[in-house]
Every structure is written in C-alpha cells, then in structure tokens.
C-alpha cells in the first residue's frame, strides 16, 4: 500500500541560543553562518532535497530575522540589479521558497521540543511530517532526510535517523533498540532517553531527524512535563510506539552539532574544505596552525 507522501517539515527555531552569547543576544543562533550560509539554510536545503513542499518554522520572540531571511529584500535586490551583480541575484533567488510554501508560528513559552512540534499542529494537519532540528547540519552524498523518506516509503509508520556512538557515551543520548533489518536501517524495539551507564540497548542514538505520524499531536496535547520540566518529544514518541511502528534510518555521513561551539567550528572547517573556491586558500594555513599546536 502506498504511503502518504511526506510534504511538510517542521523546524523548531524558538531556542534562545544561550551557549553562543553574546553573539545570540541580537542574532538568532539559526542565523549564525557556516562559511557563507546561515545554519538554518543548510537544514532547509536538506528538506528540499528530500522533496519537502511546505516549510513550517516554529519561532519565538526575537526570531523575526528568520522570516525576513526567507523573504524578498527589495532594496538589496534593486542595488544588485543596478550594479549588474547577476550571480548574487541568482543566489538570492535560489534560496527563496515559493510563495505560500513557508509558514511561521509562535511558541510563546519555551516548554520543550515536544511543545514546539505541537505548536505546528494546525499547519501540518492530518498527514505525516518531518521534524528537523536546526542545530544539526549534515554532510553526505544523499541527505539524511532523503534517506529517511526512502525508508519511510518501504515501511510507513514513523522513522527516526540514527547514528552510532561510542558505547561508553551512550548515556548522553536518546538511544534506540535494534530489531530486524529493513532497507537502510532496522526496526526499533525500544527508545531510552539518556540511559544509565551500562544499560543502553545499543549504541545507536537519535540524531535530530524525525518522520512522524499526525497522531503524535493528540499525545503531545495532553502529555505531562518530563525532564527539565518540559514537554519532551521522546516521551510522546514512546506513547505513540505503543500503537505504531518505528523504524530507524542508519545515517552514515557526518553530523555537526552547531548548537555547541566545538561542533559549530568543526562545521565551518569541514564545509569550507569541501569548497573548491575556498580550500586552496585555507588548507595550507590550517595545516600550519595544527603543526604549531604540536
């Protein structure tokens, strides 16, 4: 039986970014740049590659610049036309969502990821959807979400992206139990949020990409607060797993946590080195810097 197409993606972008103060005092963390693109652009590009047609941003106070970024800026574009900056005009045109394909809704109170996803309920409606955490940007030949969509078309239900971690570090993550193989992944037998050391069912951790069925919304609506006194998405998925199957897509690319300073710096280096216009200028100086640290 054909599955309903994954047409919509939710981007929870209401976080305050306190780990990047003072930079995030006036600039949303999602607008910090990796090389020459905001972090949020990488995540939206990943969704677009996977066939997403409608982009739903769950924002908060002070995040209006994200909405402005995905809009036309007449004065800038007029100046570029007058100066015959055609390459720059094309670049701006390529990042602009088609009219009516980007929606913005507010999470007035920071009550956790589960609450942020629930805030998108009326825009998503009664259809399966993707969730992409904007802090996590990825590098792979096939995007993580595209691989998840491919697996979803085989399995239906719910799909989470997972990666392997050092078993000694499993207590830091949301871990899934590994069941029977399916496609480029496996059936999920259980989910444990930050298991006690030595008790994790595997070393596969959830890396910030989800495909969920709309029944998650009714669960989140009445769900009690969990860890951190917040409405946790993991708790909602555990409840949903009682009646629906979950599969894991085994992502084998690189993931950079741009919500942390070290991950953000590594992402800048990695994506810069992938660029043929930048690598020749920085590869030698980077090697010299590393050599001087020894």
């Amino acid at each position: 039986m054909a599955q309903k197409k994954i047409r919509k993606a939710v981007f929870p972008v209401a976080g305050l970014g306190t780990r990047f103060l003072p930079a995030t005092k006036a600039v949303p963390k999602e607008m910090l740049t990796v090389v020459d693109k905001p972090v949020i652009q990488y995540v939206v590009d990943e969704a677009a590659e996977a066939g997403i047609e409608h982009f739903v941003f769950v924002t908060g106070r002070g995040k209006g610049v994200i909405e402005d970024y995905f809009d036309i800026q007449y004065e800038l574009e007029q100046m570029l036309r007058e100066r015959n900056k055609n390459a720059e005009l094309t670049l701006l045109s390529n990042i602009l969502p088609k009219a009516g394909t980007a929606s913005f809704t507010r999470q007035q109170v920071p009550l956790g990821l589960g609450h942020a996803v629930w805030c998108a309920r009326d825009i998503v409606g009664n259809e399966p959807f993707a969730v992409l955490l904007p802090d996590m940007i990825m590098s792979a030949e096939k995007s993580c979400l595209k691989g998840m969509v491919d697996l979803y078309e085989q399995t239906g239900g719910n799909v989470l992206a997972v990666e392997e971690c050092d078993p000694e570090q499993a207590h830091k993550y949301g871990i899934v139990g590994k069941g029977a193989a399916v496609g480029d992944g496996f059936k999920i037998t259980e989910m444990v949020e930050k298991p006690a050391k030595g008790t994790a069912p595997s070393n596969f951790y959830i890396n910030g990409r989800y495909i969920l069925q709309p029944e998650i919304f009714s669960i989140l609506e009445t769900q009690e607060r969990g860890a951190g006194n917040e409405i946790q998405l993991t708790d909602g998925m555990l409840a949903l797993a009682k009646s629906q199957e979950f599969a894991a897509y085994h992502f084998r690319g690189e993931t950079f946590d741009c919500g942390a300073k070290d991950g953000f710096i590594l992402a800048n280096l990695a994506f810069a080195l992938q660029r043929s216009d930048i690598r020749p200028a920085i590869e030698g100086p980077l090697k010299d810097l590393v050599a001087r640290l020894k």
Side-chain angles (χ1 to χ4, degrees):
M1 182 181 297
Q3 310 298 334
K4 284 187 176 180
K5 184 179 178 182
I6 306 299
R7 300 189 314 110
K8 298 178 181 178
V10 175
F11 304 87
V13 293
L16 296 176
T18 54
R19 285 184 289 179
F20 277 90
L21 288 170
T24 49
K25 178 182 178 182
V27 179
K29 63 176 180 176
E30 297 82 9
M31 294 301 295
L32 298 177
T33 56
V34 171
V35 187
D36 54 3
K37 292 196 300 186
V39 169
I40 188 62
Q41 183 67 60
Y42 288 89
V43 185
V44 168
D45 288 347
E46 178 184 339
E49 181 184 336
I52 295 300
E53 302 170 1
H54 196 135
F55 308 88
V56 184
F57 299 88
V58 181
T59 71
R61 287 182 295 280
K63 297 297 183 101
V65 67
I66 297 175
E67 188 168 352
D68 291 340
Y69 175 78
F70 289 106
D71 198 357
I72 292 172
Q73 191 176 97
Y74 291 101
E75 295 83 356
L76 172 61
E77 295 186 12
Q78 181 61 31
M79 180 272 290
L80 293 174
R81 290 189 189 93
E82 291 172 355
R83 299 183 183 182
N84 294 316
K85 299 282 189 178
N86 295 321
E88 288 81 359
L89 279 168
T90 299
L91 177 65
L92 294 180
S93 176
N94 288 341
I95 67 172
L96 192 67
K98 293 180 180 179
T101 64
S103 297
F104 298 82
T105 188
R106 283 278 183 112
Q107 182 187 25
Q108 289 94 341
V109 182
L111 292 178
L113 177 58
H115 181 260
V117 170
W118 177 76
C119 288
R121 64 199 182 281
D122 286 342
I123 300 173
V124 172
N126 189 31
E127 59 183 284
F129 64 102
V131 177
L132 297 91
L133 300 191
D135 287 345
M136 314 300 288
I137 64 173
M138 301 174 179
S139 177
E141 185 174 342
K142 178 168 70 172
S143 79
C144 183
L145 188 61
K146 179 62 169 67
M148 294 173 68
V149 169
D150 290 344
L151 181 59
Y152 166 81
E153 290 174 351
Q154 300 175 51
T155 64
N158 305 272
V159 178
L160 310 181
V162 300
E163 296 180 48
E164 292 184 80
C165 67
D166 182 334
E168 293 298 316
Q169 302 298 313
H171 65 282
K172 298 180 178 180
Y173 304 102
I175 300 293
V176 302
K178 184 178 180 182
V182 55
D184 289 329
F186 53 86
K187 295 288 187 179
I188 291 175
T189 58
E190 57 182 307
M191 288 179 274
V192 185
E193 185 65 30
K194 296 182 179 179
K197 283 189 175 183
T199 66
S202 77
N203 67 325
F204 285 96
Y205 72 94
I206 303 168
N207 72 1
R209 299 291 187 268
Y210 314 78
I211 290 176
L212 299 170
Q213 294 295 321
E215 287 77 12
I216 192 72
F217 291 126
S218 60
I219 293 172
L220 294 172
E221 185 169 9
T222 58
Q223 184 174 296
E224 295 183 0
R225 299 189 190 190
N229 199 33
E230 296 180 337
I231 298 173
Q232 297 292 339
L233 183 60
T234 301
D235 292 341
M237 293 192 300
L238 285 168
L240 186 59
K242 295 177 182 179
S243 59
Q244 294 185 5
E245 290 191 343
F246 276 73
Y249 169 68
H250 186 182
F251 178 64
R252 293 178 170 85
E254 290 185 280
T255 298
F256 302 93
D257 181 1
C258 290
K261 294 173 185 176
D262 56 347
F264 179 74
I265 293 168
L266 288 171
N268 270 278
L269 293 172
F271 281 90
L273 290 170
Q274 291 176 15
R275 294 270 296 266
S276 60
D277 60 328
I278 298 177
R279 180 167 182 155
I282 68 169
E283 188 171 14
L286 277 176
K287 289 179 179 178
D288 292 342
L289 282 172
V290 173
R292 290 201 293 270
L293 294 175
K294 295 180 180 178

